[in-house]
Amino acid sequence: MNGGDNQSGSTNEYRETAFRSDSIPKQRSPENPGGLAKALEGGDLIERLVWANYAGLDIHVRPSSAETHQKRSSGRVERNLAGPSWTHQKMPAEFIKTRWQLLLMLAGSFADYGMLKWLLCLSLGGGIFYALIHGATHLIFFLILTAIIVGLHLFFRYPFIWFLERNPDFIVKDLGCGFFRPTGMVKFRTWREETFEAPFIEFAPYISYHVQPKGPVSYKLQLRHRYSGWQTAVAEVHSTQKEELYAHWDELQRYMDVSQPLPDIPALEPYRHLDPTTAEYDAAGKRQRPADYWATLNLEWWEKEGYPAHVEKIRNFPWHTLEDQMQYSVPNLNDAAMA
């Protein structure tokens, strides 16, 4: 459905800059970067997604999300979840600073069994080869190196993970970044450790592909700022789940679109009455679900029947038939696109 087909709702708590799919303002034309820049900067971008045409299919309705919501609703959460909550005002993002992300990447590499085997083969194989040429007296260096590799593996595999599981706030912080529904703004950290902020409507959504070190291909939903080139990743999935990124983008747009009710997902159920458009939508009986739908949902049924059927809807929906509404608000949009 077109984003403007639904009710507009109350706007008394929304700023003038809030995103409204039924009234996207005219914007300036982006510069055409040219073929070379597109090849260098956008070589991994394979598809540009459409704006303001919705399927109404949500992605954050996994059984685990519903279970977490029910535990929170009943006060049965064993420990506090790291990071700020997703509310009717803000979808938080980027909880970990770049330096901690690098540490986690290093920890993941040493904690991985496959990487451990590769490093051990390299170290021991190199040591044996070097000893055959220069004598066994030089083997001690490679034995020490092997011991260090094993030590790092054991450290990152057990005490490091144990510590982070019990103290997630040690590296997970609210950096003030995310998607802000009332204002229509997006804020994220750049590789320079600076905060970049711009209106949601100034971003172009792309799907990019990435080859992992072990070979599998993954896809990412990227938002690239149309006028500066700064970009941020929203979601990443395995190559077999590419269709889920369409639902990610569909859900994110409807979250930011104040002419639409909040996405009907477990995380946002406690806040539906606080959002003006959503409160009006629910009061009119258009949700067609009880107020505590997700809090009282039969989890066993949802995991075995409801959610698999929902995923099939996402995979079978004709996403490529949706028309991009942004092309009517941004001159030269298609020519300047990176994909």
Side-chain angles (χ1 to χ4, degrees), residues 112-169:
D112 181 73
Y113 283 120
M115 186 65 72
L116 173 66
K117 293 177 182 178
W118 185 84
L119 290 174
L120 289 178
C121 288
L122 187 64
S123 175
L124 293 175
I128 294 173
F129 179 77
Y130 192 87
L132 290 175
I133 298 177
H134 299 283
T137 55
H138 296 83
L139 188 59
I140 186 64
F141 169 78
F142 291 94
L143 293 177
I144 294 175
L145 179 61
T146 300
I148 292 175
I149 292 173
V150 173
L152 288 173
H153 169 77
L154 294 175
F155 172 74
F156 286 121
R157 186 81 186 182
Y158 298 107
F160 184 75
I161 293 178
W162 180 90
F163 176 79
L164 290 185
E165 286 180 344
R166 288 155 180 78
N167 302 277
D169 290 333

Side-chain angles (χ1 to χ4, degrees), residues 13-319:
E13 292 189 17
Y14 305 131
R15 300 284 181 85
E16 188 67 28
T17 54
F19 169 49
R20 297 172 176 83
S21 60
D22 51 6
S23 58
I24 302 177
K26 295 292 183 181
Q27 301 165 69
R28 69 179 188 273
S29 175
E31 294 184 5
N32 191 329
L36 180 60
K38 290 181 180 181
L40 294 176
E41 298 181 27
D44 60 338
L45 303 177
I46 61 174
E47 183 180 351
R48 178 166 61 92
L49 305 184
V50 304
W51 269 93
N53 244 328
Y54 307 140
L57 295 171
D58 296 309
I59 195 66
H60 288 95
V61 293
R62 296 181 178 88
S64 58
S65 298
E67 182 179 12
T68 298
H69 172 57
Q70 291 190 3
K71 286 183 177 180
R72 277 179 161 174
S73 299
S74 61
R76 291 185 289 113
V77 178
E78 297 179 359
R79 57 177 181 272
N80 292 330
L81 301 178
S85 298
W86 186 358
T87 72
H88 62 297
Q89 295 182 322
K90 176 185 176 182
M91 174 185 169
E94 300 192 14
F95 310 141
I96 305 175
K97 290 188 176 182
T98 303
R99 56 179 175 268
W100 288 114
Q101 291 178 0
L102 295 175
L103 175 61
L104 290 178
M105 290 175 60
L106 177 66
S109 297
F110 278 105
D112 181 73
Y113 283 120
M115 186 65 72
L116 173 66
K117 293 177 182 178
W118 185 84
L119 290 174
L120 289 178
C121 288
L122 187 64
S123 175
L124 293 175
I128 294 173
F129 179 77
Y130 192 87
L132 290 175
I133 298 177
H134 299 283
T137 55
H138 296 83
L139 188 59
I140 186 64
F141 169 78
F142 291 94
L143 293 177
I144 294 175
L145 179 61
T146 300
I148 292 175
I149 292 173
V150 173
L152 288 173
H153 169 77
L154 294 175
F155 172 74
F156 286 121
R157 186 81 186 182
Y158 298 107
F160 184 75
I161 293 178
W162 180 90
F163 176 79
L164 290 185
E165 286 180 344
R166 288 155 180 78
N167 302 277
D169 290 333
F170 183 75
I171 61 172
V172 177
K173 307 290 184 182
D174 184 0
L175 303 178
C177 298
F179 298 84
F180 299 84
R181 177 175 167 94
T183 62
M185 301 299 289
V186 178
K187 187 184 296 185
F188 60 88
R189 303 279 290 182
T190 70
W191 59 268
R192 295 177 180 174
E193 290 287 335
E194 299 172 345
T195 299
F196 179 79
E197 183 177 15
F200 183 57
I201 59 174
E202 292 186 359
F203 287 86
Y206 292 95
I207 289 181
S208 61
Y209 75 93
H210 301 268
V211 179
Q212 303 298 328
K214 292 186 178 181
V217 173
S218 65
Y219 291 103
K220 286 184 180 181
L221 171 58
Q222 303 265 136
L223 295 188
R224 189 176 193 276
H225 189 243
R226 201 175 292 121
Y227 306 108
S228 68
W230 287 116
Q231 61 186 33
T232 182
V234 177
E236 182 175 6
V237 298
H238 189 269
S239 59
T240 60
Q241 301 169 318
K242 180 185 174 186
E243 292 83 3
E244 293 187 6
L245 292 183
Y246 300 125
H248 267 286
W249 175 234
D250 194 273
E251 180 187 87
L252 177 58
Q253 285 185 92
R254 286 182 287 110
Y255 172 75
M256 293 295 288
D257 188 353
V258 297
S259 71
Q260 298 284 308
L262 290 169
D264 197 343
I265 61 177
L268 294 176
E269 187 170 69
Y271 306 99
R272 294 185 67 87
H273 68 288
L274 299 176
D275 179 75
T277 300
T278 310
E280 183 177 334
Y281 180 88
D282 290 356
K286 295 183 178 182
R287 185 188 182 192
Q288 299 181 342
R289 287 176 172 178
D292 59 351
Y293 174 79
W294 291 107
T296 59
L297 181 70
N298 185 320
L299 293 177
E300 183 178 358
W301 169 83
W302 183 245
E303 183 172 7
K304 293 181 178 179
E305 299 182 34
Y307 182 67
H310 180 77
V311 171
E312 281 302 307
K313 289 181 180 179
I314 292 176
R315 291 176 177 172
N316 296 328
F317 186 83
W319 296 101

